[in-house]
Amino acid sequence: MPEGDINLNFESDEVERLKEVGIEFDPKRRAATFLQEDQSVKTVASFYRGVEIMSIREALKKYDWLKDYFWKALRRDQDDFTKEVDSEDFNGYFIRAPPNSKVEIPVEACLYLKKAGKQKVHNVIIAEENSELNIISGCASHRSAIGMHIGVSEIFVKKNAKLSFTMIHNWNYDVEVRPRTGIIVEDGGTYISNYILLNPVKYVQMYPTAYLNRDAKAVFSSVIVALEGSEVDVGSRAVLKGENSSAEIVSRTISKGGKIISRGHIVGEAPGVKGHLECRGLMLSENGFILAIPELEARHPNVELSHEAAVGKIAEDEIFYLMARGLSRDEATSAIVRGFMEIEIKGLPEVLKMAIDQAIQSMGEKLL
Amino acid sequence: MLRVVNLGVEIGGRRILENVNLYIREGETLALFGPNGSGKTTLLNALIGNPSYKIVSGRVIFKKKDITSLPPDERAKMGMGISFQTPPKISGVKLIDVLKYCAKIGGYREEDIFEMAKRLKLEDHLYRAVNVGFSGGEVKRSEILQLMLMNPDFVMLDEPDSGVDLENIVLLGEAMKELLERNKKKDERKKAGIIITHQGYILDYVDADYGVVLYRGKVACMGDPADILRQIRKYGYEGCMEKCLKEI
Ligand SMILES: Nc1ncnc2c1ncn2[C@@H]1O[C@H](COP(=O)(O)OP(=O)(O)OP(=O)(O)O)[C@@H](O)[C@H]1O
Ligand SMILES: [Mg+2]
């Protein structure tokens, strides 16, 4: 295992951008770090015995069995973007928690788009049986980068393992983003996904899908802000294949002039499965757009699927209530907007919660 | 301290209050009665400046200033405070965050928040979203806690005793007594207020100076609060009204 500092040649404003997506430069606060700029891997370091982290190319050389994990959680011909990644010139990370290992300090993986026209990534994450792993994935671009990020991620949560995957995006108006994510959660496994997008982007489109086996559980939470000029088409899908599996999908979207399509889809295929979808959208300006599309699909009589969706402006009676307590209209609005974005995320280590809270707090003030 | 002149209020184009006149001096507490839907809550909302309640005539004068078109936060800063009958649930905004603003207005320190929360048995609710999943009695206590920290000069209480169990009535009663300085000697009282109550339990703790009955959006009678309550209990509102009219 390589040891040592996170050694980078980033300029200070780049460091700031990476910090905004939760990337820590203090090795004490991360179990392992992976940094990729454009197509080349800049840093790989594991500070904690037990977590394996390396570039996917290196991993393919090291482990013969790894190729069997390729295109297992996703179809290689799913669309033009998966096809494009299914080529020779991809890179990406491989992260693996060995059986029974428990790593509470998060592992960080950062994909940074600096000048490449296209960043093609294929990641594989494996949480082996009974392991616990927390990953924070920060994806960002240089302020002046123009291009596209296509990120294929195949995630495997083995029997009774628990994986949390927190992704914070920080792009710019010239970047188009096409993540493609498939997750297979084996019996009794838990997958927690958090997605945060608060800054401008040209276009993000993704629909990560989790396949859940017996007693497995998935929780998807996302907080999305679309500023004027941004277009976001994002959803989460859970296919409840195994008995008593469950899924919860919660999204909070805010349009401040941008376009948002917020999707959610839960498929119940086995007896005793439960799923709940919650889409809430807030319109903060005249010219925004939010389309919420919650979908529930039952393929077995003994399933319990439900959804709530609400889109609109901030409730006047809530603003008034706070004003009667002495908050100005702006303070009241900002408190409500911040509260709206603060989704309760369970099962996340404190450091990750803090990273998310900080990002949301500062955005809540900027939105006014 | 407060003068309401010929107040007329509309909600969604419907006239709710007509020609309401009130005059409340420093140190005075008024008990407001009236059947369901008579406009009591509407009156308090108009006084605190709820924008959904449209003032179509008249004026509200507070501390010698015309506040008829002032936004609610300015009224709060001038020393008006209200405990709502049915406050909204605000998911995401924690009680503690609201209390910090209240304490700022009332000139309290952050430590005081915890002390008062303990007194009102809400120390476990501080980090919960305001009113979300609060029981009926907890909502009432949370409203009073906010008011205590705001320490307003003019206190408006909209049915603070409805749905509160006997033990909590004692707790809330004592708190409101302090809020309205009813524990002080008559000539030392500086605070004033309005209390809306149906059952009148709260009046055992806060001995209101006089009572007013609001009927179909109008002030229908005025008198000793205990008398009024007795009449209402005995003869109902209609009966009370008849008796009132005779007396006037
Ligand atoms: N937001 C609103 N929209 C429409 N009508 C309203 C609204 N608020 C109040 N009203 C109407 O105004 C009238 C007076 O209501 P108000 O709440 O002031 O009554 P109240 O005297 O406080 O009654 P209660 O004793 O039941 O609390 C009622 O007929 C009520 O339906
Ligand atoms: Mg009322």
Side-chain angles (χ1 to χ4, degrees):
Chain A
M1 264 319 137
E3 296 270 342
D5 238 0
I6 306 177
N7 185 18
L8 307 154
N9 309 313
F10 285 118
E11 291 155 24
S12 64
D13 70 318
E14 295 183 299
V15 169
E16 280 314 303
R17 274 182 90 72
L18 294 175
K19 280 191 173 165
E20 276 176 32
V21 294
I23 298 303
E24 262 291 341
F25 293 86
D26 177 3
K28 282 195 260 337
R29 302 180 69 166
R30 293 291 182 259
T33 289
F34 171 93
L35 268 159
Q36 175 178 335
E37 181 179 304
D38 295 335
Q39 289 299 82
S40 61
V41 174
K42 270 191 117 169
T43 299
V44 175
S46 181
F47 312 103
Y48 191 97
R49 263 186 309 154
V51 192
E52 272 188 281
I53 186 162
M54 62 188 88
S55 82
I56 194 78
R57 292 184 161 271
E58 198 183 320
L60 278 169
K61 271 184 242 156
K62 187 168 175 187
Y63 294 121
D64 207 29
W65 48 260
L66 182 56
K67 59 180 187 312
D68 299 334
Y69 283 85
F70 267 59
W71 305 113
K72 199 171 155 189
L74 278 168
R75 279 188 4 250
R76 67 172 82 219
D77 60 352
Q78 181 181 303
D79 58 28
D80 289 348
F81 303 99
T82 53
K83 280 184 206 154
E84 205 165 334
V85 172
D86 186 22
S87 63
E88 288 305 305
D89 62 338
F90 67 93
N91 213 327
Y93 55 77
F94 170 73
I95 299 174
R96 178 175 169 269
N100 306 309
S101 60
K102 303 236 182 306
V103 191
E104 184 167 295
I105 314 173
V107 170
E108 66 185 0
C110 169
L111 300 164
Y112 187 63
L113 185 68
K114 189 161 187 177
K115 44 189 180 294
K118 250 177 208 165
Q119 185 175 45
K120 289 189 265 182
V121 173
H122 195 144
N123 306 315
V124 173
I125 300 168
I126 304 173
E128 299 281 6
E129 286 188 19
N130 285 312
S131 66
E132 259 183 59
L133 179 62
N134 297 289
I135 297 176
I136 177 157
S137 163
C139 299
S141 56
H142 190 269
R143 263 169 233 290
S144 58
I146 301 175
M148 183 190 272
H149 165 90
I150 312 174
V152 166
S153 298
E154 295 191 81
I155 299 175
F156 302 90
V157 181
K158 299 292 182 73
K159 267 191 194 142
N160 300 318
K162 186 177 162 195
L163 171 67
S164 83
F165 186 76
T166 299
M167 182 153 78
I168 305 182
H169 274 173
N170 189 3
W171 308 102
N172 66 47
Y173 282 121
D174 294 309
V175 177
E176 187 176 330
V177 187
R178 303 275 188 170
R180 293 293 178 265
T181 306
I183 306 112
I184 296 177
V185 189
E186 289 187 2
D187 293 1
T190 303
Y191 177 69
I192 299 172
S193 154
N194 302 298
Y195 176 61
I196 318 280
L197 170 71
L198 304 173
N199 288 302
V201 63
K202 182 179 174 189
Y203 189 50
V204 183
Q205 187 264 317
M206 64 175 186
Y207 212 158
T209 301
Y211 302 91
L212 297 137
N213 292 294
R214 182 189 281 262
D215 299 318
K217 196 179 155 191
V219 182
F220 286 92
S221 310
S222 37
V223 178
I224 294 164
V225 175
L227 301 169
E228 179 121 37
S230 293
E231 204 176 329
V232 181
D233 181 345
V234 169
S236 309
R237 180 183 285 122
V239 183
L240 304 170
K241 297 160 68 77
E243 261 176 60
N244 298 318
S245 56
S246 65
E248 197 184 329
I249 299 175
V250 177
S251 76
R252 296 277 188 275
T253 57
I254 294 182
S255 167
K256 175 101 186 184
K259 276 180 79 167
I260 300 174
I261 301 178
S262 168
R263 301 175 193 270
H265 185 190
I266 301 180
V267 187
E269 295 184 348
V273 304
K274 275 190 187 149
H276 184 68
L277 246 170
E278 188 187 309
C279 290
R280 295 221 285 146
L282 203 55
M283 292 285 287
L284 285 188
S285 68
E286 294 287 314
N287 48 351
F289 171 89
I290 298 178
L291 174 62
I293 313 178
E295 292 177 281
L296 302 175
E297 187 177 326
R299 294 182 170 274
H300 191 281
N302 183 15
V303 302
E304 203 181 307
L305 307 178
S306 57
H307 84 73
E308 290 166 63
V311 176
K313 62 172 182 155
I314 302 180
E316 264 312 309
D317 64 331
E318 294 180 11
I319 294 179
F320 159 70
Y321 181 75
L322 294 177
M323 287 178 79
R325 304 300 185 224
L327 281 79
S328 69
R329 177 164 279 275
D330 281 356
E331 285 169 335
T333 309
S334 153
I336 294 167
V337 170
R338 255 184 286 131
F340 176 83
M341 290 196 284
E342 251 169 49
I343 41 180
E344 197 192 331
I345 299 165
K346 293 183 198 91
L348 217 56
E350 228 22 70
V351 267
L352 276 185
K353 273 192 196 142
M354 269 161 55
I356 293 173
D357 282 352
Q358 268 164 22
I360 286 173
Q361 288 287 337
S362 61
M363 195 63 204
E365 274 134 44
K366 272 194 248 168
L367 273 174
L368 282 179
Chain B
M1 183 176 292
L2 183 87
R3 191 190 284 276
V4 178
V5 189
N6 283 334
L7 194 70
V9 177
E10 266 182 25
I11 308 169
R14 204 184 119 207
R15 191 62 176 254
I16 309 291
L17 292 181
E18 222 160 317
N19 272 331
V20 172
N21 289 286
L22 287 175
Y23 182 45
I24 301 172
R25 274 175 292 254
E26 221 173 73
E28 281 182 355
T29 296
L30 171 118
L32 184 60
F33 305 100
N36 294 140
S38 56
K40 304 180 297 298
T41 297
T42 303
L43 176 61
L44 294 202
N45 271 286
L47 295 182
I48 194 69
N50 187 336
S52 331
Y53 293 73
K54 203 173 151 220
I55 295 182
V56 287
S57 71
R59 288 179 302 150
V60 180
I61 316 289
F62 180 57
K63 293 184 177 173
K64 304 200 169 94
K65 198 178 157 200
D66 188 333
I67 59 161
T68 316
S69 52
L70 222 55
D73 55 323
E74 311 245 339
R75 299 186 200 211
K77 282 177 189 134
M78 281 180 72
M80 278 190 151
I82 182 167
S83 136
F84 291 98
Q85 182 180 4
T86 41
K89 299 177 177 63
I90 311 186
S91 51
V93 178
K94 296 186 190 77
L95 179 58
I96 182 83
D97 296 329
V98 180
L99 294 176
K100 282 181 189 164
Y101 279 97
C102 295
K104 209 160 79 187
I105 293 237
Y108 283 106
R109 299 160 308 165
E110 263 185 45
E111 302 94 270
D112 302 325
I113 297 179
F114 298 95
E115 208 168 289
M116 283 201 211
K118 215 173 204 159
R119 181 174 163 193
L120 287 168
K121 296 193 296 183
L122 284 169
E123 68 267 35
D124 296 333
H125 291 61
L126 291 174
Y127 294 91
R128 282 173 58 179
V130 183
N131 299 324
V132 178
F134 284 21
S135 77
E138 288 165 353
V139 167
K140 299 287 176 197
R141 296 211 299 278
S142 145
E143 290 293 297
I144 299 302
L145 174 59
Q146 295 176 49
L147 269 187
M148 297 276 286
L149 287 161
M150 288 175 80
N151 193 22
D153 298 326
F154 190 77
V155 185
M156 294 179 274
L157 304 164
D158 196 346
E159 299 194 27
D161 51 358
S162 295
V164 179
D165 70 38
L166 291 173
E167 242 171 78
N168 282 303
I169 284 271
V170 181
L171 197 72
L172 286 176
E174 292 299 333
M176 284 181 265
K177 198 180 205 167
E178 276 173 44
L179 264 177
L180 283 155
E181 296 184 333
R182 304 309 283 189
N183 46 0
K184 289 192 180 170
K185 277 198 230 100
K186 205 163 189 163
D187 52 358
E188 284 171 9
R189 294 175 191 159
K190 293 262 177 279
K191 310 224 162 167
I194 302 178
I195 303 181
I196 298 176
T197 178
H198 284 292
Q199 275 83 22
Y201 300 134
I202 194 64
L203 301 180
D204 295 343
Y205 300 87
V206 182
D207 56 330
D209 298 290
Y210 52 102
V212 161
V213 179
L214 206 59
Y215 198 76
R216 296 192 178 158
K218 287 181 183 157
V219 175
C221 99
M222 219 182 247
D224 177 69
D227 279 349
I228 293 181
L229 202 56
R230 217 173 300 124
Q231 294 299 326
I232 296 170
R233 281 193 184 140
K234 229 170 166 175
Y235 309 110
Y237 279 102
E238 298 280 343
C240 168
M241 224 58 65
E242 266 170 42
K243 189 157 186 306
C244 259
L245 291 176
K246 272 182 227 151
E247 278 180 3
I248 290 173

